[in-house]
Amino acid sequence: MKLATYVARRIALFFPTIIGVMTITFVLLAALPVQDQLIARFGFPPRQDPCGYAKSCPCSVLDRNPKLTGTCNNPLFTRLTNKLHLNRPYEVQWAFYMENTFTFQWGTVSNNSEVAQTYAFSKGEPVSKFLGQMMPYTLELAILSLAIILLVAIPLGNLSAVNRNRPIDQASRVVSFSGFAIPPFLLGSLVVFGAFYLLLPHTGYLVTSPWCPTGEPLQNEIWKSWPSAGCYGNNVEVATLCPSWLSGCLLSHPTGFPTVDAVLHGYYWVAADTLLRMILPALVIAYGAIAGLLRFVRNSMLEVMNLDYVRTARAKGVPEREVVNRHAGRNSLNVTVTVLGLTFAFFLGGFPVIEDVFQLEGIGRALALAVIPGYFDFGVIFGSTILFTYLVVAANIIVDVLYAYLDPRVRLG
Amino acid sequence: MVDDSDVGAPTATAPVRRGRRPSPRIAQMKRTWYFLRRNTLAMIGLSVLVIIALVAMYAATTPISWLAMPFYCAANYGPDQTTSGWYNSSTHTDGPFNATSVASCHYICTYEVVPPPNAAHFCGGLWYKTPFILSGHNASTDCEQATYATCVSYPAVIAPTVNLATLNAGPMPLGSLATQIDSTGAFFNLYNGMLRGADWSLIISVSIVGIGASLGLLVGATAGFLGGAVDDALMRLVDIFLSIPVLLFVIVLIAVITTTIHAVAIPGFTILGHHFNQYILVDSTWTPLFTLILGFAAVWWPFYARLIRGQVLVVREQKYVEAARASGAGKARILFNHIIPNSVYPMFIQFSLDVGTIPLLIGGLVYLGFINLFPSAYFPEWGAISATSVLDIQSMLESCQVQCVVPWWQLFFPGLALFLYAVSVNLLSDGLRDALDPRLRR
């Protein structure tokens, strides 16, 4: 099969997979009480609570349900449920849900959830817009983590493959397993506690960031003021000091990437501070992800090192370093590239725990705020699920195609 | 193919002894064990796991408090458990500790002697380094002002570490590992919690991965064996489930179930004169735990399905399967007697790997605020305990106004247990991979 046909076939598989996952999501959404479905879709509950958690609902919407029959007497509720097609059969609801999924109408940020409390600008906004606004923060963190992973995992994996079963191999194995074994919330918190201990004694309660010309304190609660946007973040007192390009201390213009925008506007200290604050969380993320990648790099390198052409290269007198780096190393990267692609897709889904621990902004933090028990923001929860599914499915396709391109021996089919 | 490292290894082609020929499956196990035994790291992992399993068995058979009961007063530090004479618990006004009357268990701590200067104090939900008690039998004024009038002081067994300006890592209260784990002032017996944690961590992770693996085995083996349209359909299903983000799906499932379950009107019923009202099913203490296990299992099986299918595709082309078919064996017999037993080995590796990650994921969920996953916030699962401790220390550092002692021990021990468990599981599975895959053995 030609590569073009293969690409077309893989892309054609995108839609069935998305529809399949979205059907599962739809079942879960439809299982929710009507009240919550309405909030997830429109961001606010109807004036009165005609259906909510009641045992019986006086709305024609629910006529299909023998337990919940009656007539609807709330005009707003009727309007909303009609708009959501809740009074139609489930298959029709499903069809409209699919349409909404593909047209980025993923619901609305709830009016009174923790997300809306934290990010005032998101109140009543479409979830896809809100997630798009948070994406640059997560993207910056993901790129930084990926850079660290690349810098560490590939050389270390090659090294341990070359020195197979020697102490350095065993050591890297133990290090990578410990990455699997420490949960990110624990490692992240230990890092924050460590920073707390190291920074606190020097100035007593208030620690001043050397990168803040205004001398804004980091405060004694470090995770309360560990924002990615320099000294600003979501700290209420400091929020008034935000420059005009950083509206609401969160949304930067024009690119949306806070570091890039800070440099564009000449706020170099904000850019430096933002990067500095992302280094520790990126290290924690990388530590967890290196564990998986190291194994792939090592195994694929081991396989390549046993191939005939490597032996030929050695036999004709190519220096060992050249053999490892150029002959074997290049070819062993095929598998690594695919694994890295999937890792990056998972990264883009956000880091709920890490962003929560380090108080960074991003999609993960929004999700962490949306899942506080009792204050669920179903719009954000379901919206993140859709986004994440898109990312993973797209990354799978890209990675497959990339692999077929990199390794022509792969049987396309 | 003869290999140097294989010399001395028991092989399936060993000279046939008298009597029945040993089963090839037993021979395979012996080979695996032979190579596993030579892997130092794997053996270290295996021994740690055996120790954890023994602890779990001890915890399961010992009548210590079933749920590592939180207790709201310090009376458990009775005279026999006190490490030093300067704190005399016999002056309690409330009498012996009674777990059932926790609400009424308030007392004001009194001291016979002025405590030593480096003692750590627990008061009103916080650890302090400064002593509250000035002298003699006087009640602490700080304690009276605290919401929970509980105050315990621990003698400084170990000299405190370098005094950092406001916070001190402080000494751990030895003698009894009972510690405060919640800034509301609830106590949690860390020692009991650790023992019970061995139990529950194993049970939860093995049941989640067990359900997922059996389902995956069934689906994968069916797809690989039958092939054709069935294979295509099942593999599309697997693709769909593989695209679901695991943690997010569990979160969505739990959020939906906990929200929906109260809106569903389940009629009450009566059995043998006992009336069960409509909430008895939905508000059962175990419902959240079952939801958690089922939620994880629902997204765990596709990995196994794909793994097993790939293996079955290889095995079904083998000569012995052909021989079985030629001798007239039925489809079911071939699948269950010949194909599945020969394709499950890679599953063991994946199984042991996954079992190690479950407590970590649960810890992450608890950290994100899903504490009500469990029958109680004090549910003794290592991941849950360490996540609760992290949250507790965070809130403590935020609210610390005077000198505070960080209860590092309540984070250290569950974290260490979690770490040892996951590392040893990983080492063992890596050793298994090396022992089962002859290509890697060279």
Side-chain angles (χ1 to χ4, degrees):
Chain A
M1 198 190 294
K2 278 166 69 182
L3 190 62
T5 328
Y6 179 69
V7 171
R9 262 191 61 169
R10 289 298 293 140
I11 290 176
L13 273 179
F14 177 80
F15 292 97
T17 316
I18 294 279
I19 289 176
V21 179
M22 286 308 117
T23 307
I24 297 169
T25 328
F26 170 75
V27 170
L28 288 172
L29 185 68
L32 276 178
V34 176
Q35 172 87 352
D36 289 295
Q37 289 191 48
L38 289 180
I39 299 176
R41 182 70 177 77
F42 300 108
F44 57 92
R47 194 157 29 90
Q48 279 300 307
D49 179 5
C51 285
Y53 300 95
K55 305 285 178 296
S56 67
C57 179
C59 301
S60 58
V61 182
L62 302 165
D63 278 350
R64 287 166 50 85
N65 189 334
K67 289 200 196 89
L68 313 166
T69 46
T71 48
C72 190
N73 50 13
N74 184 327
L76 179 61
F77 188 84
T78 320
R79 199 154 57 77
L80 291 180
T81 47
N82 286 344
K83 216 169 155 191
L84 201 53
H85 309 284
L86 284 181
N87 49 356
R88 309 278 286 278
Y90 279 120
E91 53 272 21
V92 180
Q93 287 185 38
W94 177 86
F96 278 109
Y97 183 77
M98 287 304 147
E99 191 201 331
N100 289 342
T101 298
F102 285 114
T103 51
F104 295 95
Q105 296 170 23
W106 298 345
T108 310
V109 179
S110 169
N111 259 7
N112 45 12
S113 73
E114 202 66 25
V115 179
Q117 302 279 326
T118 311
Y119 306 112
F121 65 88
S122 73
K123 196 178 277 187
E125 289 287 323
V127 168
S128 47
K129 185 183 166 196
F130 171 60
L131 291 180
Q133 283 166 334
M134 303 305 277
M135 187 54 123
Y137 285 89
T138 301
L139 202 59
E140 283 188 350
L141 186 57
I143 290 173
L144 193 61
S145 316
L146 201 70
I148 296 174
I149 292 170
L150 278 175
L151 282 178
V152 176
I154 293 177
L156 196 61
N158 287 351
L159 202 66
S160 68
V162 172
N163 299 295
R164 177 148 190 258
N165 287 342
R166 298 228 186 94
I168 191 162
D169 184 26
Q170 306 283 16
S172 84
R173 192 181 291 196
V174 171
V175 166
S176 75
F177 285 156
S178 64
F180 268 136
I182 303 182
F185 73 88
L186 194 60
L187 186 61
S189 308
L190 288 180
V191 167
V192 173
F193 292 155
F196 195 95
Y197 271 112
L198 289 177
L199 290 175
L200 208 62
H202 301 304
T203 49
Y205 270 115
L206 297 180
V207 180
T208 321
S209 168
W211 296 275
C212 279
T214 47
E216 290 305 329
L218 283 185
Q219 310 233 335
N220 53 343
E221 308 108 345
I222 282 186
W223 43 84
K224 275 280 165 183
S225 52
W226 198 264
S228 45
C231 318
Y232 300 112
N234 56 354
N235 196 323
V236 181
E237 301 92 48
V238 191
T240 49
L241 297 173
C242 289
S244 55
W245 57 269
L246 197 62
S247 71
C249 287
L250 195 76
L251 304 178
S252 69
H253 303 284
T255 60
F257 291 84
T259 317
V260 178
D261 287 334
V263 172
L264 284 181
H265 290 89
Y267 282 70
Y268 298 112
W269 54 270
V270 172
D273 200 45
T274 310
L275 277 179
L276 195 83
R277 283 154 199 274
M278 282 197 296
I279 284 177
L280 285 180
L283 280 174
V284 173
I285 293 165
Y287 187 52
I290 280 172
L293 197 68
L294 202 59
R295 195 179 276 184
F296 276 105
V297 176
R298 179 177 176 270
N299 286 348
S300 67
M301 187 69 179
L302 275 180
E303 260 170 37
V304 172
M305 291 287 277
N306 280 335
L307 292 181
D308 286 343
Y309 79 93
V310 174
R311 200 188 307 157
T312 311
R314 280 197 184 123
K316 74 177 183 187
V318 177
E320 182 65 20
R321 209 179 129 181
E322 194 96 323
V323 171
V324 170
N325 287 340
R326 306 223 10 219
H327 291 78
R330 288 270 174 93
N331 268 303
S332 74
L333 277 182
N334 288 352
V335 183
T336 313
V337 165
T338 61
V339 178
L340 269 180
L342 287 181
T343 311
F344 192 62
F346 269 85
F347 280 2
L348 292 187
F351 317 90
V353 171
I354 293 290
E355 283 169 7
D356 199 65
V357 169
F358 288 91
Q359 292 284 305
L360 294 170
E361 310 300 346
I363 289 181
R365 177 114 191 278
L367 183 68
L369 289 170
V371 297
I372 294 173
Y375 306 95
F376 290 136
D377 190 326
F378 284 107
V380 174
I381 294 177
F382 280 100
S384 328
T385 315
I386 299 173
L387 175 70
F388 202 99
T389 310
Y390 270 118
L391 287 172
V392 169
V393 175
N396 261 318
I397 292 170
I398 293 172
V399 155
D400 278 358
V401 171
L402 201 64
Y403 191 66
Y405 175 73
L406 285 176
D407 192 348
R409 290 167 306 167
V410 172
R411 197 166 51 118
L412 304 176
Chain B
M1 190 161 73
V2 181
D3 196 287
D4 283 354
S5 62
D6 276 10
V7 174
T11 52
T13 53
V16 182
R17 288 187 220 105
R18 265 178 299 162
R20 214 173 151 224
R21 194 165 150 270
S23 147
R25 239 166 274 157
I26 304 274
Q28 168 79 358
M29 274 184 199
K30 278 187 177 166
R31 272 174 79 87
T32 309
W33 174 241
Y34 173 84
F35 287 109
L36 200 61
R37 226 171 37 201
R38 270 147 191 78
N39 191 332
T40 322
L41 287 176
M43 289 321 284
I44 292 174
L46 187 64
S47 25
V48 172
L49 280 181
V50 166
I51 291 171
I52 290 175
L54 286 178
V55 170
M57 276 159 67
Y58 167 74
T61 51
T62 312
I64 53 174
S65 79
W66 192 84
L67 261 188
M69 186 70 79
F71 49 97
Y72 284 85
C73 68
N76 235 20
Y77 308 99
D80 49 340
Q81 290 181 36
T82 322
T83 47
S84 152
W86 60 265
Y87 168 57
N88 187 353
S89 59
S90 62
T91 51
H92 292 163
T93 51
D94 270 23
F97 169 68
N98 185 359
T100 54
S101 60
V102 281
S104 64
C105 185
H106 287 261
Y107 73 98
I108 291 167
C109 48
T110 56
Y111 297 91
E112 308 272 302
V113 193
V114 178
N118 284 328
H121 305 273
F122 172 76
C123 189
L126 289 175
W127 288 91
Y128 293 101
K129 205 173 163 297
T130 324
F132 305 101
I133 313 302
L134 299 175
S135 64
H137 288 266
N138 295 326
S140 154
T141 46
D142 283 311
C143 278
E144 282 172 340
Q145 285 166 9
T147 325
Y148 295 91
T150 50
C151 184
V152 188
S153 291
Y154 298 100
V157 182
I158 312 158
T161 50
V162 186
N163 193 350
L164 301 167
T166 51
L167 287 166
N168 197 322
M172 187 178 78
L174 291 180
S176 154
L177 277 176
T179 55
Q180 161 254 354
I181 202 172
D182 185 300
S183 47
T184 53
F187 280 80
F188 183 89
N189 191 314
L190 190 59
Y191 175 72
N192 283 1
M194 292 295 296
L195 287 185
R196 286 271 158 236
D199 209 343
W200 277 111
S201 298
L202 282 180
I203 288 176
I204 293 178
S205 42
V206 167
S207 54
I208 288 173
V209 185
I211 295 173
S214 352
L215 202 60
L217 176 69
L218 227 90
V219 173
T222 314
F225 184 62
L226 294 181
V230 180
D231 184 24
D232 273 350
L234 285 177
M235 280 303 114
R236 286 293 83 75
L237 195 70
V238 166
D239 277 350
I240 287 169
F241 270 88
L242 274 179
S243 308
I244 296 178
V246 173
L247 209 59
L248 209 53
F249 180 76
V250 176
I251 286 175
V252 171
L253 198 68
I254 290 168
V256 167
I257 286 182
T258 49
T259 308
T260 307
I261 209 159
H262 288 281
V264 179
I266 297 172
F269 54 90
T270 307
I271 299 175
L272 297 175
H274 293 279
H275 183 68
F276 296 93
N277 67 22
Q278 58 185 357
Y279 293 113
I280 195 84
L281 295 175
V282 297
D283 281 343
S284 154
T285 39
W286 298 103
T287 309
L289 191 58
F290 289 146
T291 315
L292 176 83
I293 290 177
L294 287 180
F296 269 113
V299 278
W300 219 263
W301 64 269
F303 299 98
Y304 287 91
R306 186 172 267 193
L307 192 72
I308 290 293
R309 176 181 169 268
Q311 203 65 22
V312 166
L313 284 183
V314 175
V315 170
R316 73 169 186 183
E317 304 297 332
Q318 301 287 324
K319 293 284 179 208
Y320 56 80
V321 175
E322 207 174 306
R325 198 174 292 130
S327 63
K331 271 192 174 176
R333 190 188 170 85
I334 290 175
L335 181 61
F336 287 102
N337 276 13
H338 297 277
I339 292 183
I340 289 183
N342 284 300
S343 36
V344 288
Y345 288 107
M347 206 177 79
F348 292 144
I349 300 165
Q350 191 64 32
F351 189 91
S352 56
L353 256 177
D354 288 350
V355 159
T357 57
I358 294 282
L360 273 62
L361 287 176
I362 290 180
L365 279 182
V366 171
Y367 180 84
L368 284 181
F370 277 110
I371 296 177
N372 56 1
L373 280 178
F374 295 116
S376 98
Y378 308 93
F379 190 79
E381 201 276 335
W382 287 337
I385 296 177
S386 39
T388 316
S389 302
V390 166
L391 291 173
D392 181 45
I393 293 180
Q394 278 187 3
S395 72
M396 183 191 142
L397 292 184
E398 276 170 22
S399 59
C400 178
Q401 295 299 318
V402 280
Q403 292 195 328
C404 302
V405 175
V406 180
W408 53 269
W409 52 87
Q410 66 184 33
L411 187 56
F412 177 75
F413 289 105
L416 186 69
L418 204 60
F419 179 78
L420 283 180
Y421 172 63
V423 162
S424 49
V425 158
N426 273 297
L427 288 177
L428 181 64
S429 75
D430 205 50
L432 267 182
R433 182 199 309 270
D434 282 0
L436 285 172
D437 191 344
R439 281 184 310 160
L440 285 174
R441 213 182 287 141
R442 256 174 271 130

